[in-house]
Amino acid sequence: MKRTAILVCLMLLAGASATAQNVRIVFAGDLMGHDPQIKAARQPDSTYDYTPCFRYVKDYVQSADLAILNLEVTLAGRPYKGYPQFSSPDTLAACARDAGFDIMTTANNHCMDRGRKGLLRTLQVLDSFAIPHLGTYRDSAHRDSVHPLMVEKNGIRLALLCYTYGTNGIAVPPPLVVNRIDTAAMARDLRVARERGAEFVITLIHWGIEYATHNNAEQETTARWLLEHGCDAVIGGHPHVVQNLTLDAIPENDRYPELVVYSMGNFVSNQRDVNRDGGIMIQLDLERTAPSADTADTLSPAACGYLPYWVHRGTVDSLYQYYIVPSADAVANPGKYQIEGAALKALQTFDANTRQRIGNCETRIKELEYGYKEPAKTEESSPE
């Protein structure tokens, strides 16, 4: 993304004998577009602007080497509509890109909401914005050429895979392809990922039961199958609430603890019920240590953490919008985010529930500290 110069500087400071390569990946949950969100983004000139949504987390997202989210709407054009068959203004994706997101997944239960034309236009718009994407394809040849999605960052070669449990019962007409959860297809993709030089393989998956705050047995079985067949991390979404996350070594691999996130919850949406009004971002730091006389070249997770965030539906600086706010910092400093009354109580409830749920299932994945800081104001020079 934008950090190449920073990486070069760090390498120069470390000297030519630097012994490690690092990459930081940030994952976010479901980017949605309900009717009230579309209304809030509409400008007086009938254009749409979602920039304010990302105001309070933009710096954090941009600090990553690679940032990925799930685009759970189509970009099918007008008429714009929310649930149950989403079509959002194109600027939703453009503003998310400008906030720092590099890659978007498109295989989810809403990808066929506007049929064949909706899926194709979504891919066309993402391509026009130069946003890499994975999960849905124009045809099998298109899929085979770009899935797994291979990404190289800071000298580390990654493979991204993406699948969904279904498309809300809407048929996928040939030659379109929507990646479905299927062990035969996933086995082929995992093999291809390694053949194409992947050092670390991540599966982004749409699964589970909506609004269930705990994963189910089917998710566990699928996650274990993926890890046993060569996947290194499984990052999930769809339930619209935060579910369990685990960091466990699979005996068959015995390399390092593999990460499974069953659901990150919503990134931004109009869902306001308890547990649905926020989510978590996952931060995964990978490090490759250069070989020495005593050790071989190794790539492994160096750290993993989570950042809870809450969606503030309200007015900030006289502008009504949906603001994604880091929940811990917002609880500690509600005035900074102009949150009060019933909204503050909902924020506090989400923050406490999320921290408790994750702490009860996995204590090794630490909560990240992040607080939004207002940009420094530049004073106008006074006339001499």
Side-chain angles (χ1 to χ4, degrees):
M1 258 164 45
K2 315 94 182 152
R3 275 78 53 181
T4 303
I6 297 175
L7 176 65
V8 171
C9 292
L10 290 174
M11 291 181 69
L12 289 173
L13 289 171
S17 59
T19 59
Q21 292 172 306
N22 302 275
V23 62
R24 172 164 292 175
I25 311 170
V26 166
F27 306 91
D30 302 329
L31 179 65
M32 305 198 73
H34 292 97
D35 289 327
Q37 293 173 260
I38 297 170
K39 181 179 179 181
R42 192 172 188 273
Q43 304 300 297
D45 62 358
S46 297
T47 61
Y48 293 83
D49 183 17
Y50 291 88
T51 303
C53 299
F54 309 102
R55 167 182 174 179
Y56 294 118
V57 294
K58 179 178 180 178
D59 289 348
Y60 172 71
V61 174
Q62 292 190 343
S63 72
D65 296 296
L66 188 67
I68 305 168
L69 60 72
N70 173 47
L71 180 67
E72 195 154 356
V73 297
T74 67
L75 305 174
R78 298 177 185 272
Y80 302 132
K81 190 74 178 67
Y83 183 84
Q85 293 184 306
F86 293 90
S87 179
S88 287
D90 300 348
T91 49
L92 176 63
C95 291
R97 176 204 59 189
D98 294 344
F101 285 99
D102 303 284
I103 296 173
M104 299 184 186
T105 61
T106 55
N108 53 63
N109 57 303
H110 287 289
C111 65
M112 287 299 301
D113 277 2
R114 294 300 182 91
R116 178 180 181 277
K117 290 183 179 180
L119 186 147
L120 289 173
R121 190 179 185 280
T122 300
L123 301 182
Q124 177 187 356
V125 171
L126 293 176
D127 288 342
S128 73
F129 291 149
I131 301 173
H133 49 87
L134 70 159
T136 59
Y137 306 93
R138 297 175 180 87
D139 52 40
S140 58
H142 178 211
R143 181 198 189 278
D144 292 345
S145 67
V146 294
H147 189 271
L149 181 63
M150 307 302 297
V151 180
E152 187 164 332
K153 284 289 181 180
N154 302 345
I156 294 173
R157 193 161 174 79
L158 310 170
L160 304 178
L161 285 65
C162 179
Y163 309 95
T164 180
Y165 75 92
T167 55
N168 287 345
I170 301 174
V172 181
L176 299 184
V177 177
V178 174
N179 281 358
R180 299 288 292 267
I181 298 172
D182 173 83
T183 54
M186 294 190 298
R188 288 194 301 271
D189 293 340
L190 289 165
R191 182 180 67 253
V192 170
R194 297 301 179 182
E195 291 172 352
R196 294 179 181 175
E199 301 174 84
F200 197 87
V201 180
I202 301 167
T203 297
L204 303 146
I205 192 164
H206 212 70
W207 59 358
I209 305 300
E210 287 186 324
Y211 317 132
T213 55
H214 194 284
N215 62 279
N216 59 28
E218 185 176 4
Q219 288 170 278
E220 290 183 5
T221 298
T222 301
R224 184 172 182 85
W225 185 95
L226 286 163
L227 299 179
E228 288 175 347
H229 286 77
C231 183
D232 297 295
V234 180
I235 310 294
H238 171 63
H240 303 299
V241 295
V242 176
Q243 290 186 337
N244 299 21
L245 42 156
T246 64
L247 198 61
D248 292 308
I250 298 297
E252 291 82 354
N253 296 340
D254 197 28
R255 294 170 295 173
Y256 41 73
E258 287 94 356
L259 171 67
V260 178
V261 180
Y262 287 102
S263 174
M264 294 176 285
N266 289 321
F267 186 47
V268 60
S269 81
N270 185 54
Q271 294 188 344
R272 308 309 300 170
D273 291 337
V274 174
N275 297 322
R276 305 182 198 177
D277 49 353
I280 57 174
M281 279 188 272
I282 295 293
Q283 177 178 304
L284 178 61
D285 294 340
L286 304 179
E287 179 180 272
R288 180 169 60 213
T289 304
S292 67
D294 302 318
T295 61
D297 180 301
T298 58
L299 175 68
S300 60
C304 182
Y306 72 97
L307 179 69
Y309 53 82
W310 182 74
V311 179
H312 174 38
R313 184 181 65 178
T315 301
V316 174
D317 298 337
S318 302
L319 177 64
Y320 179 84
Q321 222 347 315
Y322 289 72
Y323 299 90
I324 306 161
V325 303
S327 64
D329 190 57
V331 167
N333 306 283
K336 182 197 298 187
Y337 303 94
Q338 301 176 41
I339 303 173
E340 59 185 6
L344 178 57
K345 184 176 181 180
L347 161 66
Q348 293 167 334
T349 298
F350 170 83
D351 186 68
N353 287 353
T354 302
R355 183 176 292 107
Q356 181 182 33
R357 187 177 311 127
I358 294 177
N360 286 344
C361 68
E362 181 53 74
T363 59
R364 292 168 294 174
I365 302 177
K366 302 301 183 182
E367 181 177 350
L368 303 170
E369 293 185 6
Y370 172 77
Y372 171 76
K373 295 181 180 179
E374 290 282 357
K377 295 182 178 179
T378 56
E379 296 184 4
E380 295 182 3
S381 56
S382 55
E384 295 182 359

